[in-house]
Amino acid sequence: MLLLAMVAFVAGGAALYHHHHEANLAPAAVKPPAASQPAQLARTKAQAIDALMALPELKAWSAHIEKASAGKARGALLDDQDSAPRRIGGKSYWSLSFVENSDAAAHRWESFLVATTGDEILVDDTNDDRQLTLDQWRAEKRPMERIAKQDDSAPTEAAAPK
């Protein structure tokens, strides 16, 4: 009798183990591998700065500022926050401003929000208290015209007083 009780106990334990094993391992076999799901890596503040400085508008603005000031001012990015990303609509963004930086002052040209994950860049339109995508910003604000207008309004050598 004792022997039958031990056999029943071992058989019951084996059945429980088998059931537990199937329940825990079967879903793992059904789950797709993690590599097949697109992972969004976190973007550091330095990477956010690099992404902004790669924009054609900021490249052109930087070149224009340096040329127009004869090298006395430069385009630069300033961190709008101490360290923590800004939350908008449940998503985190680095807040950075492009400025004209000289010895006398830093004049803000535009504020940007760079997603901490993914590749999204928004323009923080502080005048209208809204955020624009880069495409909206380019269509509505025409950022390249900003330097074209400044170049057109600068006096030419022929028009300069003698």
Side-chain angles (χ1 to χ4, degrees), residues 21-124:
H21 183 69
E22 281 184 355
N24 286 334
L25 293 183
V30 175
K31 290 180 185 174
S36 70
Q37 295 175 347
Q40 291 190 346
L41 301 176
R43 184 178 356 205
T44 65
K45 195 176 295 185
Q47 291 169 326
I49 289 169
D50 290 344
L52 281 177
M53 289 309 292
L55 293 177
E57 293 84 358
L58 272 59
K59 287 180 181 181
W61 287 359
S62 292
H64 168 77
I65 290 168
E66 191 163 342
K67 182 180 176 185
S69 70
K72 294 180 182 173
R74 299 208 185 314
L77 286 170
L78 293 181
D79 187 358
D80 291 344
Q81 306 160 290
D82 291 334
S83 62
R86 182 172 160 191
R87 301 275 306 166
I88 299 173
K91 195 168 183 180
S92 295
Y93 295 87
W94 296 115
S95 181
L96 301 159
S97 287
F98 180 83
V99 298
E100 181 176 338
N101 193 28
S102 68
D103 289 339
H107 174 72
R108 185 184 69 81
W109 279 43
E110 200 68 75
S111 293
F112 296 90
L113 298 164
V114 183
T116 59
T117 56
D119 59 357
E120 183 179 27
I121 297 175
L122 301 174
V123 180
D124 196 10

